[in-house]
Amino acid sequence: MNFNRRRGAIALFITLGVFMSGVAITLNIGWILLNTRRLAADIFGVILFSALIAGVVLNTVFLVREIRRNERQDSFLNAVTHELKTPIASIRLYLETLQRHPVDEAQRQKFYGIMRSDTDRLLNTVETVLKAGELGQRREQQRARIELHPLVADCIQTVLRRHHLSPETIELAEVPGNVRLYVMGNAEDLRTAVMNLLDNAVKYSPNGVHIVCRLGIERYTWVVLSITDTGLGIPPPELKRIFKRFYRAPANDPVKIKGTGLGLFLVRTIARQHGGSVRATSEGTGKGSTMLLRLPLAIGNKMTTDSAST
Ligand code: ADP
């Protein structure tokens, strides 16, 4: 509600700015036409006036951007607070139950399992926030030659365990030509990026998970990891915005999927620090989406003509 009211205020602000600029320009032109004799002074006035208008427009744009950034920070704080509070409240409730009531062994084990996944969720949120801060400040990086297929396979196993999914829900295709694809990078960061993409693919597939991961070579110099899901999809105007820090697509609000808006920002930062990029494609809402992570291919890959595809 608050968000919609703010959006309304911004729209009013922009309309008012555009209207006022229009009126000012019309008045100015009218004034010139009425006073053609004092042409030099008028031209000087027009230039000054245009500079003034440009300043007002720039100022408005800047203000609107600041307001949007503040909004994103507000909703990030709300989301993080929620993500921290919910598992803590849940763990506390189970601990109280265990402390106050006699529970049989089977139920006790079940409670331990729930508390464990709640602590995992807490840890995950804290790690994401810490990582976002750390990546922004880091200058130098330890780089090593990393083979991508085993790294992605390992991330898939972790995601399957974390979300209690059966193995066939996430598929990893063989690399065309069975080449081994290497990149120069930081294994921990690359794992963070791949895990975030996989976690999202699961999270935004509330009606059943079916994910396909593919690795391939693009233009002989890039490794591309594509992760395709059959989930909620992304409307075209959101395809770029979702990589901004704290940004969460409003289209997913009704489905109430929790998150902080930091995951894809982390992926983009990591991709850029490795000299690569990430982008999203989707046919639209309800039609699934594909995330494409592109990284420079490390020299020393054995290439066949088959593999130089994608
Ligand atoms: P979070 O998931 O914590 O909201 P992210 O930065 O990971 O933050 O994602 C930003 C937004 O991008 C999400 O709020 C969601 O709307 C959209 N998004 C990301 N991945 C997917 C996906 N696989 N399918 C549909 N929407 C996605």
Side-chain angles (χ1 to χ4, degrees):
M1 284 299 149
N2 200 10
F3 180 69
N4 283 341
R5 217 181 304 144
R6 276 191 187 172
R7 287 211 123 182
I10 293 174
L12 181 74
F13 192 39
I14 295 173
T15 318
L16 201 68
V18 171
F19 177 71
M20 279 167 55
S21 304
V23 170
I25 290 168
T26 316
L27 278 176
N28 202 30
I29 291 172
W31 185 60
I32 295 170
L33 292 176
L34 288 174
N35 300 281
T36 35
R37 264 175 287 158
R38 291 163 50 214
L39 200 61
D42 292 345
I43 289 172
F44 182 64
V46 169
I47 292 170
L48 265 185
F49 199 69
S50 310
L52 206 71
I53 296 274
V56 170
V57 171
L58 272 179
N59 197 29
T60 309
V61 170
F62 175 76
L63 272 175
V64 170
R65 284 175 73 169
E66 275 308 297
I67 292 171
R68 291 218 167 122
R69 193 170 300 164
N70 279 344
E71 274 178 6
R72 288 208 302 270
Q73 268 168 4
D74 278 359
S75 57
F76 163 74
L77 276 180
N78 286 338
V80 168
T81 314
H82 185 275
E83 280 296 287
L84 295 178
K85 210 173 144 192
T86 314
I88 292 174
S90 159
I91 293 169
R92 199 194 152 114
L93 188 78
Y94 284 108
L95 279 177
E96 275 174 7
T97 313
L98 284 169
Q99 205 175 28
R100 289 191 191 155
H101 306 281
V103 268
D104 61 44
E105 187 54 26
Q107 205 157 26
R108 182 185 295 271
Q109 290 307 325
K110 192 176 151 208
F111 286 179
Y112 287 155
I114 297 172
M115 286 195 284
R116 233 196 102 112
S117 58
D118 278 335
T119 46
D120 282 350
R121 185 173 157 191
L122 261 178
L123 201 66
N124 199 21
T125 308
V126 173
E127 271 173 3
T128 306
V129 176
L130 287 179
K131 190 102 194 169
E134 182 209 326
L135 276 177
Q137 286 166 4
R138 202 192 293 165
R139 295 274 168 271
E140 297 268 307
Q141 260 195 356
Q142 291 279 329
R143 298 255 160 125
R145 203 158 171 268
I146 298 157
E147 192 187 348
L148 271 187
H149 197 275
L151 184 138
V152 176
D154 196 43
C155 291
I156 291 176
Q157 290 310 317
T158 311
V159 171
L160 288 173
R161 266 198 312 276
R162 186 182 285 176
H163 296 275
H164 311 288
L165 293 167
S166 53
E168 69 278 3
T169 49
I170 309 183
E171 199 182 305
L172 175 58
E174 284 303 321
V175 183
N178 280 330
V179 257
R180 304 175 79 166
L181 301 175
Y182 292 92
V183 293
M184 288 305 291
N186 179 310
E188 196 201 315
D189 287 355
L190 289 175
R191 275 182 63 86
T192 303
V194 176
M195 290 287 296
N196 270 299
L197 293 177
L198 286 169
D199 263 334
N200 276 350
V202 174
K203 203 162 81 167
Y204 295 103
S205 298
N207 303 321
V209 179
H210 182 232
I211 298 165
V212 181
C213 307
R214 286 192 187 84
L215 276 164
I217 298 176
E218 191 183 273
R219 288 198 221 135
Y220 303 97
T221 48
W222 300 97
V223 184
V224 178
L225 167 66
S226 73
I227 299 181
T228 304
D229 64 60
T230 53
L232 295 175
I234 304 163
E238 306 286 348
L239 288 171
K240 281 201 175 144
R241 289 186 205 145
I242 54 174
F243 294 95
K244 286 187 182 164
R245 186 161 48 162
F246 308 141
Y247 189 83
R248 307 206 66 221
N252 293 327
D253 275 0
V255 203
K256 298 257 178 290
I257 295 171
K258 303 281 176 290
T260 55
L262 277 179
L264 289 183
F265 168 74
L266 278 183
V267 179
R268 190 183 64 175
T269 309
I270 292 168
R272 285 182 178 171
Q273 284 181 346
H274 282 78
S277 62
V278 61
R279 67 187 174 91
T281 63
S282 172
E283 296 284 306
T285 312
K287 295 187 178 157
S289 42
T290 298
M291 293 287 165
L292 295 149
L293 176 65
R294 202 165 75 135
L295 298 166
L297 185 66
I299 42 166
N301 279 280
K302 275 196 281 140
M303 264 207 294
T304 66
T305 22
D306 283 8
S307 63
S309 58
T310 325

